[in-house]
Amino acid sequence: MGLVARTLERVKPSPTMAITSKAREMKAAGFDVIGLGAGEPDFDTPDNIKQAAIDGIPELKQAISEKFARENGLDYKPNEITVGSGGKHVLYNALLATLDPGDEVVIPSPYWVSYPDIVLLSGAEPVVVETKLEDGFKLTPETLEQAITPKTKWFIFNSPSNPTGAAYTRDEIKALTDVLLRHERVWVLSDDIYEHLVYDDFKFTTPAQIEPKLKARTLTLNGVSKAYSMTGWRIGYAGGPAELIKAIGKLQSQSTSNPCSISQWAAVEALRGPQDFLKDWVKSFQERRDLVVSMLNQASGLSCPTPEGAFYVYPSCAGCIGKTTPKGQTIGNDEDFATALLQEEGVAVVHGAAFGLSPFFRISYATGMEALEEACRRIQRFCASLS
Ligand SMILES: Cc1ncc(COP(=O)(O)O)c(C=O)c1O
């Protein structure tokens, strides 16, 4: 009998982290690499938040309860709130606490890389349903309906999305919640972590807010990593029915207990402190998005839709597939495209297959304008060099 659990063989290490560390290694070896692989804002955590981490007592669940009421019109009492060491940890706890082998979890693709692998770790089955570029990478109610079976336990919903940046309007969410209302045993996990990063006056909404009848079987997940540039502080949270929150608490009591109290303090300040800096960040992100979308659409063989939110674009590289680099390498798929782009031009992006939809790639534009402009120039040069 081997030491490592068989379930661990069902998953692969995170491909986005693999590309980020490859880019870091190449940089350390002296290559001129621009990393567009990692999904971390490049801003510094605001000073008031850093200051609050130094003293004080945690009232984080209260602050989260107030946040849900203020920003989402959702009433979650402190016993309906769980706090973990990052959104990923809360997601992990929620799935591990509820899934049994044989259960199914519906995940629209392209998806954030951790969803299917955490489902696999639990012993359940991810049911991946593809979205289409023509639909703005958004799931249609018909596709959702077809994916649900008597074994479906969860539907994972992520808007704005990592990796596409697609965000669902109120009407688009309502169309999906109407389907979910008909399937009383299906739970909804809404990953709202990019809530504040929406552009062009887009109005963010979340399923439990749009369809109150679903709230009793919805987990509304969020965190401070993206909106407050606090990725390293590791605070994520979720609101849901007390029974689910209690099960999550039981699992967490046997692993991390609670997230670091210093980080909890900082998160209290993040949620209760001034929010006005967000306007400037959103403006910067929107400028970067517009630059990247426009420059990528000028690259031959690429086609890049304009996403509503997050800090990612997900261009199609269909027009480059089958072509050859000047060194004679054939671009057979999006992974070849990303590998050759890194080798030839030192630009690190993540291939679409990692997110379950090809032939695309993901660019994280959470980096400065100058680097983005240079990276896009290199991408244009790379695409022009293909024949
Ligand atoms: C869609 C999505 N959900 C959740 C997370 C988790 O973030 P954290 O664990 O830093 O809170 C991420 C991070 O990349 C993400 O992209």
Side-chain angles (χ1 to χ4, degrees):
M1 196 191 293
L3 169 67
V4 177
R6 279 200 300 275
T7 40
L8 205 58
E9 287 169 13
R10 291 160 53 96
V11 305
K12 56 191 175 316
S14 160
T16 46
M17 287 194 176
I19 283 161
T20 305
S21 46
K22 167 96 179 137
R24 218 174 269 145
E25 272 167 34
M26 286 177 67
K27 232 183 212 170
F31 288 97
D32 171 20
V33 175
I34 305 176
L36 305 181
E40 282 184 25
D42 55 316
F43 299 116
D44 196 17
T45 308
D47 274 346
N48 62 313
I49 300 177
K50 286 198 262 186
Q51 211 51 39
I54 297 166
D55 55 17
I57 49 153
E59 294 272 15
L60 186 50
K61 286 192 179 179
Q62 189 55 40
I64 292 166
S65 173
E66 289 159 15
K67 178 261 178 249
F68 276 131
R70 182 181 69 238
E71 297 185 329
N72 309 114
L74 288 171
D75 174 26
Y76 287 119
K77 309 270 183 292
N79 71 332
E80 295 172 313
I81 289 166
T82 179
V83 182
S85 302
K88 190 186 275 194
H89 184 217
V90 176
L91 175 80
Y92 179 92
N93 282 344
L95 296 179
L96 270 280
T98 54
L99 289 169
D100 284 312
D103 290 341
E104 293 177 355
V105 178
V106 174
I107 304 171
S109 82
Y111 44 70
W112 178 43
V113 296
S114 292
Y115 298 143
D117 280 328
I118 294 176
V119 170
L120 288 170
L121 268 175
S122 76
E125 299 301 326
V127 174
V128 173
V129 282
E130 287 191 0
T131 63
K132 298 197 183 87
L133 174 70
E134 308 86 88
D135 297 330
F137 300 115
K138 293 179 204 173
L139 189 68
T140 61
E142 297 76 28
T143 319
L144 174 61
E145 180 73 63
Q146 282 160 15
I148 294 173
T149 76
K151 293 181 182 165
T152 309
K153 183 92 176 243
W154 284 100
F155 164 56
I156 298 185
F157 177 75
N158 174 218
S159 165
S161 147
N162 177 1
T164 65
Y168 290 65
T169 63
R170 171 172 281 274
D171 288 350
E172 287 163 345
I173 297 181
K174 182 77 175 71
L176 298 179
T177 56
D178 283 350
V179 172
L180 293 160
L181 276 181
R182 294 198 289 274
H183 297 276
E184 286 176 11
R185 290 174 39 255
V186 178
W187 285 69
V188 184
L189 197 156
S190 183
D191 181 345
D192 299 354
I193 205 143
Y194 294 99
E195 159 179 23
H196 290 293
L197 306 181
V198 288
Y199 314 117
D200 306 317
D201 299 323
F202 183 90
K203 290 272 170 296
F204 170 87
T205 39
T206 188
Q209 178 184 21
I210 290 175
E211 184 45 84
K213 288 193 218 115
L214 271 186
K215 183 165 172 267
R217 50 187 169 102
T218 299
L219 187 68
T220 305
L221 185 135
N222 215 316
V224 295
S225 287
K226 313 291 173 178
Y228 303 97
S229 213
M230 291 173 69
T231 318
W233 296 78
R234 309 309 303 137
I235 294 289
Y237 58 87
E243 186 193 359
L244 171 62
I245 298 300
K246 199 169 154 209
I248 290 173
K250 183 174 171 188
L251 184 65
Q252 182 155 298
S253 75
Q254 292 292 13
S255 55
T256 60
S257 299
N258 57 279
C260 161
S261 59
I262 297 168
S263 295
Q264 291 199 58
W265 270 110
V268 170
E269 175 61 19
L271 295 176
R272 284 196 173 147
Q275 308 288 313
D276 43 337
F277 65 92
L278 267 168
K279 269 200 307 294
D280 296 334
W281 288 13
V282 165
K283 188 166 165 278
S284 289
F285 277 134
Q286 183 167 333
E287 282 164 12
R288 295 165 179 191
R289 178 202 65 171
D290 292 343
L291 172 87
V292 170
V293 168
S294 144
M295 287 188 77
L296 291 179
N297 278 320
Q298 289 164 45
S300 76
L302 300 187
S303 157
C304 185
T306 304
E308 294 89 353
F311 39 61
Y312 306 105
V313 291
Y314 201 67
S316 160
C317 56
C320 299
I321 305 299
K323 291 191 174 171
T324 310
T325 67
K327 286 188 187 142
Q329 265 177 299
T330 303
I331 308 291
N333 54 39
D334 52 26
E335 188 165 8
D336 294 343
F337 178 91
T339 305
L341 178 63
L342 181 57
Q343 280 165 354
E344 302 290 323
E345 291 286 357
V347 178
V349 301
V350 184
H351 55 287
F355 307 101
L357 196 72
S358 295
F360 296 90
F361 62 97
R362 186 193 79 174
I363 283 185
S364 164
Y365 57 82
T367 197
M369 278 296 238
E370 223 172 281
L372 285 172
E373 211 170 337
E374 172 61 16
C376 290
R377 258 198 302 272
R378 293 188 195 183
I379 293 172
Q380 289 176 348
R381 192 164 61 201
F382 173 74
C383 290
S385 77
L386 301 175
S387 54

